[in-house]
Amino acid sequence: YSKALSLIEKNPIKLKNEKISIINSINRVSAENIFSPNNNPLSNNAAFDGFAILSRETKNLSKKKVKKFKILKTIAAGDNPKIKNYKKNSVVEVMTGGLIPKYYDSILTVEKAKYYPSNNNATHLIVSEKVKKFSYVRFAGEDYKKKDIVLKKGELIQPKHLMAFTVLGIKEVKVKK
């Protein structure tokens, strides 16, 4: 046994590498460290459906002291988050994954929204509580920062890695042949 082990150590098998589609990479061994090519998420976005709001505008609110906020627009995931006419005491409806416009710092979840004048014809929200800064916000780079290691050299590629590769835009990986 020790003689055989010694021979193996003196004559290691060198496996070549090949670049393959991530779709065919499950149960293959990574030939190199795989790094994140960018931040994920790319920008701050909503963790839940709700309304982007500036938390300091809700500072002294309570059930006894409420405030009306104008609904400016709706932003779905992938929509441009720019606001042309920002107004004080306004909100923007943001769907899960939607980018948060630059003036806002928090999300008031849709479950806590009180619509005015009615649920079907809302132009405003009635807010009756203080919204904590950064509530329900997923920050840029929270999952992966640019150049984070996604997979180490020598690791077995598993289905969970495919999700990371897809999200990060990695289409091919180098594996041992």
Side-chain angles (χ1 to χ4, degrees), residues 158-173:
Q158 300 174 10
K160 66 181 179 181
H161 297 117
L162 292 188
M163 175 77 81
F165 297 157
T166 302
V167 164
L168 295 168
I170 298 169
K171 294 183 180 358
E172 294 183 320
V173 290

Side-chain angles (χ1 to χ4, degrees), residues 120-155:
N120 296 333
N121 193 23
T123 59
H124 291 76
L125 285 186
I126 305 294
V127 180
S128 60
E129 65 181 76
K130 180 181 190 283
V131 176
K132 188 176 171 191
K133 191 172 185 176
F134 304 127
S135 293
Y136 304 105
V137 173
R138 288 183 60 227
F139 295 101
E142 189 172 301
D143 295 337
Y144 292 98
K145 289 189 178 21
K146 188 173 183 173
K147 298 189 180 173
D148 276 355
I149 290 186
V150 178
L151 186 71
K152 290 182 180 174
K153 178 180 178 177
E155 266 191 85

Side-chain angles (χ1 to χ4, degrees), residues 25-80:
S25 69
I26 293 179
N27 292 325
R28 299 290 299 271
V29 176
S30 176
E32 61 187 7
N33 288 335
I34 299 173
F35 298 94
S36 175
N38 49 45
N39 287 337
N40 183 266
L42 289 170
S43 300
N44 293 354
N45 67 56
F48 291 93
D49 288 349
F51 293 87
I53 193 165
L54 189 55
S55 61
R56 71 172 178 254
E57 292 179 344
T58 68
K59 186 175 166 185
N60 298 314
L61 300 183
S62 66
K63 291 192 190 279
K64 292 180 182 177
K65 185 178 179 190
V66 300
K67 191 188 279 187
K68 202 185 307 184
F69 288 79
K70 181 167 180 51
I71 301 170
L72 298 180
K73 74 185 246 181
T74 299
I75 297 173
D79 286 354
N80 184 340

